[in-house]
Amino acid sequence: MQRNKFIHRLFQLLNGKDYVLLKFIEPSYQEIEQDSDLDLLLTESLTAAIVAMIEADKTIVRFAFKSFSTIKHLFLYFEDDSFLQIDCLYKLIRKNLVYLDNDYLLQQKKTVNGVQTYSHFCLFEHLVFFNQLNHAGIPEKYCRYFEALPEAEGNDILNKFREKYNLEIDGFEILATFNNDLREHLISYLKKKKENSWLARCRNYGHYLLDTLKGLTMHRGLLISFTGVDGAGKSTILEDTRILLTNKFRKKTVVLRHRPSLLPILSAWK
């Protein structure tokens, strides 16, 4: 598959550079799920090198970029109908709060089968902060991953997390759901960090507002309509299309059903 071959070339390009592949739990990059995107923490100059590589790649028939203050989204469409989204992050931030510092993550990085990622403890921190700050729990697949770790390693992660953030957590499964008290505790902790001073938070919030306004002009959406008589298979095609857009192309979809009110429901006359 051209997507997998591109990912191989991508990590060849990144070899020896300062970056971190985020949320990486697979044995190797060849085994990353087909409906998963790549989250990379790196510099803007390294992102520019990736963009140049994309523009020169003959197997990519179409690509699109969306740039914001702390992230650049890359959308790649290959000749064989495969798809890849790469999110190039310059900072781990939610609205105006930096939740994990770049220097800290780069100090904790490790190499797994030719890929630079971070320690299990950093992965756990990232998942907790990212999801709780976004009013969500850790996805089930990550909970299963941590629960499958050797008992001693799992206990070490939980103990370090309890000590560092002054929290009482009995197990990984507790964090699979959103907890507002936990969220408020984490926010209070983050506001005490030097990278989240009052001035820095004001500056970051200004960037967030500008990014939000920019996003409103970018995300105009697309309307797809399916019409036909009763029993023609509209619902089946609609559901297949929704799954494709959501899982493969990572697009938010909204399904609206409408029946013209002036016409009778033909199936009711059978």
Side-chain angles (χ1 to χ4, degrees):
M1 183 176 287
Q2 291 172 342
R3 165 194 159 102
N4 294 344
K5 292 179 179 178
F6 176 85
I7 291 175
H8 176 72
R9 293 193 296 274
L10 171 64
F11 285 110
Q12 285 184 321
L13 173 71
L14 295 175
N15 185 38
K17 309 294 195 306
D18 273 338
Y19 76 93
V20 176
L21 178 60
L22 305 170
K23 303 180 186 178
F24 179 61
I25 59 174
E26 290 79 11
S28 68
Y29 63 78
Q30 290 97 339
E31 298 178 59
I32 295 174
E33 296 177 357
Q34 293 301 312
D35 59 355
S36 295
D37 52 13
L38 297 180
D39 291 343
L40 294 167
L41 179 71
L42 35 60
T43 62
E44 293 188 52
S45 60
L46 197 48
T47 298
I50 295 174
V51 169
M53 174 184 170
I54 291 170
E55 293 174 336
D57 196 308
K58 301 302 183 182
T59 67
I60 299 173
V61 294
R62 186 165 67 89
F63 56 81
F65 307 143
K66 292 182 179 178
S67 300
F68 298 95
S69 60
T70 60
I71 188 171
K72 188 180 186 75
H73 302 286
L74 314 178
F75 306 95
L76 314 183
Y77 304 83
F78 296 90
E79 286 180 333
D80 63 358
D81 199 36
S82 55
F83 170 78
L84 175 64
Q85 177 176 335
I86 306 174
D87 290 338
C88 300
L89 297 98
Y90 312 132
K91 188 184 298 184
L92 296 188
I93 186 171
R94 169 58 179 159
K95 289 190 176 179
N96 64 339
L97 288 173
V98 175
Y99 54 89
L100 285 176
D101 181 67
N102 287 14
D103 291 337
Y104 167 67
L105 290 173
L106 289 171
Q107 290 169 2
Q108 298 294 319
K109 69 182 181 182
K110 63 177 183 177
T111 301
V112 178
N113 289 327
V115 172
Q116 287 181 186
T117 184
Y118 43 16
S119 66
H120 281 146
F121 179 68
C122 286
L123 169 63
F124 184 63
E125 287 181 291
H126 185 187
L127 292 169
V128 172
F129 275 108
F130 177 82
N131 289 285
Q132 292 294 329
L133 292 178
N134 284 285
H135 298 86
I138 296 178
E140 182 181 350
K141 74 171 185 177
Y142 292 108
C143 288
R144 292 198 304 267
Y145 178 79
F146 281 107
E147 289 170 351
L149 292 175
E151 184 177 358
E153 184 178 2
N155 289 336
D156 183 59
I157 291 171
L158 288 173
N159 288 334
K160 286 176 64 176
F161 193 81
R162 293 186 192 105
E163 182 179 351
K164 182 173 181 177
Y165 299 104
N166 191 27
L167 285 165
E168 290 298 326
I169 297 175
D170 296 330
F172 296 112
E173 70 282 352
I174 295 175
L175 297 170
T177 56
F178 171 65
N179 184 314
N180 191 61
D181 290 337
L182 172 60
R183 182 178 185 274
E184 293 301 318
H185 181 89
L186 294 175
I187 289 175
S188 178
Y189 172 89
L190 292 176
K191 287 182 176 178
K192 298 174 184 177
K193 304 286 288 183
K194 63 179 182 179
E195 59 266 28
N196 291 316
S197 65
W198 180 84
L199 184 61
R201 296 203 309 271
C202 290
R203 182 173 60 251
N204 291 336
Y205 198 71
H207 291 154
Y208 170 75
L209 292 177
L210 290 174
D211 286 343
T212 301
L213 292 173
K214 187 176 182 180
L216 292 175
T217 62
M218 285 183 174
H219 304 153
R220 296 180 180 179
L222 176 68
L223 177 64
I224 303 174
S225 175
F226 297 94
T227 61
V229 299
D230 291 344
K234 298 186 299 297
S235 296
T236 301
I237 296 174
L238 188 151
E239 181 62 14
D240 289 345
T241 303
R242 184 193 67 78
I243 292 173
L244 178 68
L245 292 173
T246 302
N247 294 344
K248 180 176 180 179
F249 296 109
R250 321 282 290 175
K251 300 296 184 182
K252 179 181 178 180
T253 59
V254 177
V255 177
L256 301 175
R257 299 177 185 272
H258 173 68
R259 181 184 294 277
S261 58
L262 294 178
L263 299 178
I265 301 176
L266 300 181
S267 59
W269 293 89
K270 290 183 179 180

